[in-house]
Amino acid sequence: MQSATTVTPSQLPTLLLATATVRPVFLWGAPGIGKSSLVRAFAESLALPCVSLLGTQLAPEDLIGVPQITPEGRSRFCPPELIARDEPYCLFLDELNAAAPDVQKAFYSLILDRRIGSYELPEGSIVIGAGNRATDNALARPMASALVNRLIHVHLRASAADWFQWAGANGVHPWVLDYLTDRPDQLWAQPPKTEEPFSTPRSWHMLSDALHSWGETPEEEMLKVLATGTLTPSHAAGFCGWVKIVRNSYGFEAILKGDASWPRRPQDRDLLYYLAEAFRARLIKELPAEKNQGSNAGRQLAFRAKTLLVELAEISLEIAQTVLADDEDGVPLLPTWFLVEAARDLPRLVAARQ
């Protein structure tokens, strides 16, 4: 399920307070953006115990319970102690849409009528479900229309501003905070179709924990292992390159001014990638949409950029091409006039250097 209408983590508690207290809510969102922790924090804010059930680990009898013979010779189902409580609580149905169809059906009466057999949830209890979307390449089953219609559906999106506020108060490693301050667009990445790590608020937090646990600053090779084991490959390369800059006081400004050159060593490829990303970001930010609208500084940047592109292409044509590349939807990010000039002037600049 997809929706163009979404909420951020900071907006969610207010929304849940107005809705989850009167009707069951289902929270949709990509993996690793904090759905589970937000629900637990919301329950804690209401002073309610949070009972989590994982849909992928349940069988129908885990909810309905087992039959018991009464003294009158009749049978009744006894729901599990985890659910059958006397005091109000928050029932969190995590990965509900990943549960088997029989398990999803077992939740029908609990979600709509707040009842399992003869047991009824205590007054003041709330029911919240959560799950990933099929488009996230996560385990997700089609949700029956009868179940869809029993829930208020809310779509959560990752928010860099919200995450920074949380991270600053929860001891996230300074390297992670500082890097994402420069590149907030890398906080979350679309899950890949292959089995490889990808960047999410959760994976950045894992990298932070690993860096803290390491104690002393990890060596270059170990840092690469940690980063590539938690992040999208391009983000891992960028992070490792940024750390090299921090360690060696080596930045893009020096290259732009001509005080330093692009790193050429094969072992500095991650640093080269990061610097090229910084180069691209500078061009996107400072080049005007129309050439005649630009300032003198903008014209100087455009002129210098062509030389830097040639020098970068001599080291890695692939990385140089990423500076000029369109976005994922094929939309040019750099002004058309600059792309035209680059295509016209680069062959001449290359010939002049030979």
Side-chain angles (χ1 to χ4, degrees):
M1 180 180 290
Q2 298 280 4
S3 175
T5 305
T6 59
V7 298
T8 65
S10 63
Q11 295 172 323
L12 186 63
T14 301
L15 180 62
L16 290 178
L17 185 62
T19 55
T21 52
V22 293
R23 287 289 183 175
V25 171
F26 191 87
L27 188 59
W28 295 89
I33 63 173
K35 298 185 295 296
S36 302
S37 58
L38 286 168
V39 171
R40 288 191 288 267
F42 174 70
E44 184 178 349
S45 72
L46 299 181
L48 292 176
C50 186
V51 176
S52 298
L53 299 180
L54 199 59
T56 52
Q57 298 180 4
L58 294 175
E61 55 269 23
D62 294 329
L63 301 174
I64 300 171
V66 295
Q68 182 185 57
I69 304 300
T70 67
E72 294 79 17
R74 299 176 181 176
S75 66
R76 66 177 180 184
F77 282 90
C78 299
E81 184 180 28
L82 187 65
I83 297 177
R85 298 181 170 221
D86 297 327
E87 299 297 327
Y89 67 98
C90 171
L91 179 58
F92 178 40
L93 311 175
D94 201 4
E95 298 184 8
L96 173 59
N97 62 327
D102 288 346
V103 175
Q104 291 188 23
K105 284 191 288 185
F107 278 115
Y108 282 11
S109 62
L110 178 61
I111 290 173
L112 183 63
D113 302 322
R114 305 166 64 84
R115 176 188 297 275
I116 298 180
S118 60
Y119 171 75
E120 187 172 352
L121 291 178
E123 186 70 25
S125 297
I126 58 178
V127 179
I128 301 175
N132 302 318
R133 305 159 300 191
T135 52
D136 297 317
N137 296 314
L139 177 60
R141 301 173 187 269
M143 191 181 289
S145 58
L147 183 55
V148 170
N149 199 236
R150 282 167 161 80
L151 297 156
I152 296 174
H153 298 267
V154 176
H155 295 258
L156 182 70
R157 71 176 186 273
S159 165
D162 290 354
W163 188 83
F164 285 136
Q165 184 175 1
W166 171 87
N170 286 271
V172 170
H173 197 281
W175 282 356
V176 172
L177 273 176
D178 290 346
Y179 178 74
L180 288 176
T181 299
D182 286 345
R183 297 303 309 268
D185 57 302
Q186 294 188 5
L187 177 63
W188 179 82
Q190 185 70 32
K193 296 182 179 180
T194 55
E195 295 176 343
E196 63 182 34
F198 60 99
S199 301
T200 66
R202 177 168 59 202
S203 64
W204 281 108
H205 191 198
M206 289 193 297
L207 176 59
S208 168
D209 288 346
L211 291 172
H212 278 309
S213 179
W214 195 273
E216 297 294 330
T217 303
E219 295 298 326
E220 184 177 314
E221 192 61 32
M222 285 298 102
L223 178 66
K224 185 176 181 181
V225 170
L226 297 177
T228 56
T230 50
L231 307 175
T232 297
S234 61
H235 297 176
F239 179 74
C240 291
W242 180 87
V243 171
K244 279 188 179 181
I245 292 175
V246 171
R247 284 172 164 168
N248 302 311
S249 299
Y250 187 103
F252 174 67
E253 286 296 331
I255 297 175
L256 184 61
K257 294 176 181 177
D259 297 334
S261 58
W262 296 110
R264 292 179 173 271
R265 298 188 308 166
Q267 58 266 40
D268 287 336
R269 189 51 56 96
D270 53 358
L271 175 57
L272 184 65
Y273 181 87
Y274 175 80
L275 291 170
E277 284 287 298
F279 181 27
R280 173 180 169 88
R282 175 68 65 87
L283 295 177
I284 293 172
K285 179 181 178 181
E286 297 190 8
L287 290 180
E290 300 294 336
K291 184 178 180 179
N292 56 10
Q293 296 175 350
S295 63
N296 184 52
R299 288 191 292 271
Q300 290 179 349
L301 174 62
F303 179 78
R304 174 68 175 147
K306 298 169 192 174
T307 301
L308 291 178
L309 278 170
V310 172
E311 295 173 355
L312 182 58
E314 290 176 348
I315 303 170
S316 172
L317 179 60
E318 178 185 0
I319 294 179
Q321 288 172 336
T322 65
V323 175
L324 303 174
D326 299 341
D327 66 10
E328 294 180 355
D329 298 323
V331 178
L333 294 177
L334 294 175
T336 302
W337 66 266
F338 176 77
L339 294 173
V340 171
E341 285 193 1
R344 181 195 66 201
D345 296 343
L346 287 183
R348 175 178 56 81
L349 292 171
V350 171
R353 292 177 57 87
Q354 291 178 348

